[in-house]
Amino acid sequence: AQSVAQPEDQVNVAEGNPLTVKCTYSVSGNPYLFWYVQYPNRGLQFLLKYITGDNLVKGSYGFEAEFNKSQTSFHLKKPSALVSDSALYFCAVRDTENNFNKFYFGSGTKLNVKP
Amino acid sequence: GAVVSQHPSWVICKSGTSVKIECRSLDFQATTMFWYRQFPKQSLMLMATSNEGSKATYEQGVEKDKFLINHASLTLSTLTVTSAHPEDSSFYICSARDVQRGLNEQFFGPGTRLTVL
């Protein structure tokens, strides 16, 4: 079975400082990993994904994530946080064990960026 | 490209009535759509996978007769909450997979807030 874990319910960071939102995964087979962001009362917006290739993946809005196979992690990072980055962030893994390609989401991490 | 819409964006209904939520892929064909449910401050829970022209596949614990899913075309899937009760109040989000972009991405709708009185 595929699963992801987000150990932090909330992350607080000052504007301009680097931010990290943690995600660890458990998969059978090759991991297909994703990060999404959700603003209040809105659907999810795609940020980035790791399928294969370079371990450092660059995505939208200046975000990036590093795939670490030995630590089974896929942490989301940004060098300099903006107040507008405040939102709910979800890590997800795509199920590769059946034909429906379901996504399984972590519990979400609320990012608070303070001015 | 790859825009998914949902209608309505919010709905309030009385207990015992049925509510239909539409999910449309506006600029691509989606053979597969997914329906999720999200409770406040919680993650998305997959309810069912909807395949065009066939019966939906429901996740364990999701009542098929209560949450009716129809995927009649490559651009439209509907979720009908039958005989709604207050515990069905939630945020319902659909997503669609763009066949031409392959299996590795889902595009999410803006969600529908259902409140059952």
Side-chain angles (χ1 to χ4, degrees), chain A residues 4 15 20 24 50-51 61 69 76 83 95-96 99 105-106 108:
Chain A
V4 291
E15 187 175 30
T20 298
T24 58
Y50 172 83
I51 304 299
Y61 313 120
K69 188 174 183 178
L76 181 70
V83 173
D95 190 345
T96 58
N99 293 327
F105 289 86

Side-chain angles (χ1 to χ4, degrees), chain B residues 97-111:
Chain B
R97 184 164 62 84
D98 185 344
V99 174
Q100 292 188 348
R101 295 180 191 231
L103 307 176
N104 298 324
E105 207 164 327
Q106 290 186 20
F107 300 94
F108 287 81

Side-chain angles (χ1 to χ4, degrees), chain B residues 13-100:
Chain B
C13 69
K14 294 182 179 180
S15 184
T17 61
S18 294
V19 175
K20 179 184 286 188
I21 302 170
E22 294 184 348
C23 177
R24 293 182 184 272
S25 57
L26 298 185
D27 51 2
F28 66 97
Q29 294 183 330
T31 55
T32 304
M33 290 184 172
F34 303 85
W35 285 96
Y36 296 86
R37 184 175 181 178
Q38 185 181 30
F39 292 102
K41 299 183 180 181
Q42 293 188 28
S43 187
L44 282 72
M45 299 296 294
L46 180 65
M47 298 175 64
T49 302
S50 169
N51 290 292
E52 187 266 336
S54 64
K55 292 183 178 180
T57 301
Y58 291 81
E59 294 298 298
Q60 190 173 6
V62 178
E63 299 177 58
K64 301 178 182 181
D65 295 332
K66 180 159 188 65
F67 298 100
L68 300 178
I69 292 173
N70 183 277
H71 193 160
S73 77
L74 287 172
T75 59
L76 174 65
S77 176
T78 60
L79 168 68
T80 301
V81 183
T82 62
S83 187
H85 289 93
E87 58 265 29
D88 298 325
S89 299
S90 189
F91 194 52
Y92 292 86
I93 302 175
C94 74
S95 69
R97 184 164 62 84
D98 185 344
V99 174
Q100 292 188 348

Side-chain angles (χ1 to χ4, degrees), chain A residues 33-102:
Chain A
L33 299 161
F34 301 79
W35 275 102
Y36 287 86
V37 60
Q38 184 182 33
Y39 295 96
N41 295 311
R42 302 294 296 274
L44 273 66
Q45 296 179 29
F46 170 79
L47 283 179
L48 50 80
K49 65 184 177 185
Y50 172 83
I51 304 299
T52 186
D54 291 340
N55 289 340
L56 184 63
V57 179
K58 293 187 182 297
S60 305
Y61 313 120
F63 284 93
E64 59 187 29
E66 186 170 10
F67 171 68
N68 188 315
K69 188 174 183 178
S70 62
Q71 297 184 5
T72 61
S73 67
F74 189 56
H75 301 330
L76 181 70
K77 300 180 180 182
K78 187 172 182 179
S80 178
L82 300 173
V83 173
S84 57
D85 292 330
S86 299
L88 191 57
Y89 290 80
F90 290 99
C91 183
V93 61
R94 180 169 78 80
D95 190 345
T96 58
E97 293 183 336
N98 61 51
N99 293 327
F100 297 122
N101 303 293
K102 295 182 290 188

